[in-house]
Amino acid sequence: MLIELDCENPVFPSVDQALSEPDGLLCVGGNLDPETLLAAYARGIFPWFSADQPLLWWSPDPRLVITRSSFHVSRSLKRFLRRSDWVVTCNKAFVRVIRACAQVERAGESGTWITDEMQQAYVRLHQRGGAHSIEVWDQSDRLVGGLYGVALGRVFFGESMFSLCSNASRVALYHLMESRSYDLVDCQMQTDHLMRMGGFPVSRAAFCQKVAELIAWDARALD
């Protein structure tokens, strides 16, 4: 039976209670307040639902991640970076990035899970300093790619990326990894694109343990 969260005071259950089919579905309900989102991510949980569905929370097993040591930069991307005159920024256009992620058509998908409700929730979280974006601009100052996600300690929970030109999303991810602000990037679901850039699956238990360690480590470093 799917666990239902209280709308006013949601308390997340243990991720061990997530369903195996559909993989990782944990609970329903709650809200998308900044505090609720941060509590979810700290526990290895994220929201994912369509406009015609209730608010659903997930913690799949396994989880795709990228680490500093696993991140792979292909020779073609290295050549492109040497020649490119693109400019990369951080948190300059968060709203534009999340809107672009929602609008980009993806193979095998109809519609988007980045609904207006989700966009508003992550914009609120961004305004509170919990969500961040990377933007890629071409020589005419056109936004050609980017990504956004949630940051907690040394972990970046990637939510979505988009690319209007070849290599734009790869450049955004490259700069996220090269910032050296994060030891672990959560990619949530497995894709060939992310696997080629160094993504690999880890068990849910190992993922949640590492997230807890990196959040705690960062908190101790700031004391």
Side-chain angles (χ1 to χ4, degrees):
M1 182 176 178
L2 195 59
I3 299 167
E4 186 167 353
L5 302 181
D6 181 80
C7 290
E8 298 298 325
N9 185 32
V11 178
F12 290 101
S14 168
V15 295
D16 294 337
Q17 299 182 56
L19 302 179
S20 56
E21 182 58 42
D23 179 28
L25 181 57
L26 177 64
C27 50
V28 59
N31 60 61
L32 291 173
D33 293 344
E35 297 81 5
T36 304
L37 287 170
L38 292 177
Y41 282 100
R43 291 164 175 78
I45 304 165
F46 59 88
W48 186 33
F49 60 100
S50 301
D52 59 347
Q53 294 178 319
L55 177 48
L56 302 175
W57 300 89
W58 303 75
S59 185
D61 187 15
R63 197 74 160 250
L64 193 77
V65 301
I66 298 177
T67 64
R68 287 187 189 178
S69 59
S70 75
F71 182 59
H72 173 68
V73 184
S74 66
R75 283 181 291 183
S76 62
L77 180 57
K78 289 178 181 178
R79 288 195 299 270
F80 180 85
L81 289 167
R82 287 195 297 268
R83 300 193 306 265
S84 175
D85 55 4
W86 286 351
V87 174
V88 180
T89 58
C90 178
N91 292 326
K92 181 178 179 179
F94 184 90
V95 173
R96 290 181 62 182
V97 168
I98 194 171
R99 286 178 179 169
C101 288
Q103 293 167 1
V104 168
E105 294 184 3
R106 304 178 194 278
E109 297 182 14
S110 60
T112 179
W113 59 269
I114 312 175
T115 61
D116 289 344
E117 182 183 8
M118 288 284 272
Q119 292 181 48
Q120 293 165 11
Y122 283 88
V123 169
R124 290 194 298 269
L125 185 58
H126 170 68
Q127 292 168 344
R128 294 277 295 272
H132 304 277
S133 61
I134 301 281
E135 304 92 13
V136 181
W137 312 84
D138 68 10
Q139 62 273 19
S140 61
D141 203 30
R142 181 172 69 108
L143 183 64
V144 295
L147 60 81
Y148 79 95
V150 175
L152 279 173
R154 306 290 295 178
V155 186
F156 188 87
F157 301 86
E159 277 299 313
S160 187
M161 60 175 63
F162 80 99
S163 182
L164 301 182
C165 296
S166 179
N167 286 316
S169 62
R170 293 202 296 165
V171 169
L173 182 58
Y174 170 83
H175 280 270
L176 176 71
M177 300 303 300
E178 287 297 301
S179 72
R180 307 194 70 79
S181 297
Y182 309 106
D183 294 329
L184 182 72
V185 173
D186 171 30
C187 304
Q188 297 181 353
M189 305 295 187
Q190 182 171 319
T191 67
D192 292 340
H193 172 65
L194 292 169
M195 293 284 284
R196 286 193 295 270
M197 296 194 73
F200 63 96
V202 297
S203 70
R204 179 168 55 217
F207 173 78
C208 291
Q209 179 180 351
K210 192 63 176 178
V211 166
E213 290 173 358
L214 290 173
I215 293 175
W217 181 89
D218 193 65
R220 288 195 301 269
L222 294 175
D223 287 341

